[in-house]
């Protein structure tokens, strides 16, 4: 009898040990599942946050991947031009070197990325730098960024003034071939105002402190005359 009781006790001990092992395994799996859920939730949260951040501004068609400038051409050398439409020296740069950039693009030697920043709002009573840059985004949406930018410089208002009105900005766009209704709606809705802020903030983070600033493959061209630009692109292309 005592032998059978001993066997039953031994069997009971084994069953209890097995039960404890099953409970331990369930605890491990539940904990692991909880960790996986937390990781997935974290990844999803980051993706949502990232998408919200990238959705803070609307990028015009024709912009680079970072959304910080409008691309012209597709040559192997990248020329970055940071310009403010209220900047008198930017106007001079366009008049003296703009055609050189166009030629470099036409010859497929360079692609030019134009960054229309709003550094000079303090020299306008109506934030003209921001308004004109945002309007240039609307022009890019219509495929006329470069033509519009040249026209803005040609009709540049003086520093310290109110700048051109929105209606005048719209008329300039129509003058370079943009559809009035679509362009006017874009300008008056300020569709690309937050994009302008993005372009300007990125320029500041990239240590751009004034306009015009010209860089060839990331290297500054201190005096961007036609000859200096041509030489810098040729050297970068070797």
């Amino acid at each position: 009898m005592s032998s059978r009781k001993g066997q039953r006790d031994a069997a009971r001990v084994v069953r209890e040990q097995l039960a404890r092992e099953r409970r331990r395994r369930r605890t491990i799996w539940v904990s692991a599942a909880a960790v996986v859920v937390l990781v997935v939730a974290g990844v999803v949260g980051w993706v949502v946050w990232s998408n919200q951040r990238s959705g803070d501004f609307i990028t015009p068609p024709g912009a680079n991947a970072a959304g910080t400038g409008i691309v012209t051409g597709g040559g192997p050398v990248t020329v970055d031009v940071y310009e403010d439409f209220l900047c008198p020296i930017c106007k001079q740069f366009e008049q003296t070197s703009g055609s050189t950039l166009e030629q470099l693009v036409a010859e497929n030697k360079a692609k030019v990325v134009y960054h229309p920043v709003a550094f000079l709002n303090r020299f306008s009573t109506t934030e003209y730098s921001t308004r004109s840059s945002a309007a240039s985004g609307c022009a890019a949406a219509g495929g006329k960024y470069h033509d519009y930018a040249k026209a803005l410089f040609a009709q540049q208002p003086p520093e310290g003034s109110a700048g051109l009105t929105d209606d005048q900005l719209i008329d300039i766009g129509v003058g370079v071939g943009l559809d009035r209704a679509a362009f006017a709606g874009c300008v008056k809705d300020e569709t690309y105002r937050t994009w302008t802020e993005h372009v300007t903030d990125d320029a500041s983070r990239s240590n751009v402190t004034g306009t015009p600033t010209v860089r060839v493959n990331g290297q500054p061209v201190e005096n961007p005359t036609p000859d200096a630009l041509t030489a810098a692109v040729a050297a970068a292309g070797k």
Side-chain angles (χ1 to χ4, degrees):
M1 180 68 70
S2 61
S3 176
R4 287 198 296 273
K5 183 177 181 299
Q7 290 175 348
R8 287 196 300 271
D9 289 344
R12 178 174 55 78
V13 170
V14 170
R15 288 195 300 272
E16 289 175 351
Q17 289 177 337
L18 290 174
R20 284 196 297 270
E21 181 64 20
R22 285 195 295 271
R23 287 196 297 273
R24 188 181 71 83
R25 289 179 180 177
R26 279 199 301 270
T27 300
I28 292 173
W29 280 109
V30 169
S31 299
V35 170
V36 169
V37 169
L38 288 173
V39 170
V40 170
V43 171
V44 170
W46 182 87
V47 170
V48 170
W49 178 85
S50 178
N51 287 339
Q52 287 174 339
R53 292 294 297 168
S54 64
D56 286 345
F57 61 93
I58 300 173
T59 304
N64 58 359
T68 60
I70 304 300
V71 180
T72 300
V77 176
T78 299
V79 181
D80 289 288
V81 178
Y82 296 84
E83 55 191 4
D84 189 310
F85 294 120
L86 190 58
C87 163
I89 302 176
C90 296
K91 177 179 179 178
Q92 294 175 12
F93 171 75
E94 170 59 34
Q95 291 172 337
T96 59
S97 299
S99 59
T100 300
L101 292 177
E102 292 174 7
Q103 183 177 354
L104 290 168
V105 168
E107 294 173 351
N108 200 37
K109 294 179 179 178
K111 69 176 179 181
V112 182
V113 184
Y114 293 95
H115 307 265
V117 299
F119 282 173
L120 301 180
N121 276 330
R122 66 188 183 279
F123 294 115
S124 165
T125 58
T126 64
E127 294 190 328
Y128 178 74
S129 290
T130 289
R131 292 191 299 110
S132 56
S133 174
S136 77
C138 296
K144 293 284 187 177
Y145 174 85
H146 192 49
D147 291 339
Y148 188 68
K150 288 197 298 182
L152 285 181
F153 283 126
Q155 300 185 50
Q156 185 182 73
E159 290 182 322
S161 69
L164 303 178
T165 66
D166 285 351
D167 286 338
Q168 288 173 313
L169 291 173
I170 291 166
D171 287 341
I172 291 173
V174 174
V176 300
L178 290 163
D179 176 77
R180 179 177 290 277
F183 184 65
C186 182
V187 171
K188 293 188 174 182
D189 289 344
E190 297 185 327
T191 301
Y192 295 110
R193 185 182 182 91
T194 52
W195 171 71
T196 291
E197 295 168 358
H198 171 67
V199 173
T200 304
D201 289 346
D202 178 80
S204 295
R205 288 193 298 268
S206 300
N207 297 318
V208 176
T209 58
T211 54
T213 290
V214 180
R215 294 171 176 170
V216 174
N217 277 3
Q219 298 302 310
V221 181
E222 298 298 339
N223 183 23
T225 63
D227 288 344
L229 284 171
T230 300
V233 169
K238 292 181 179 178

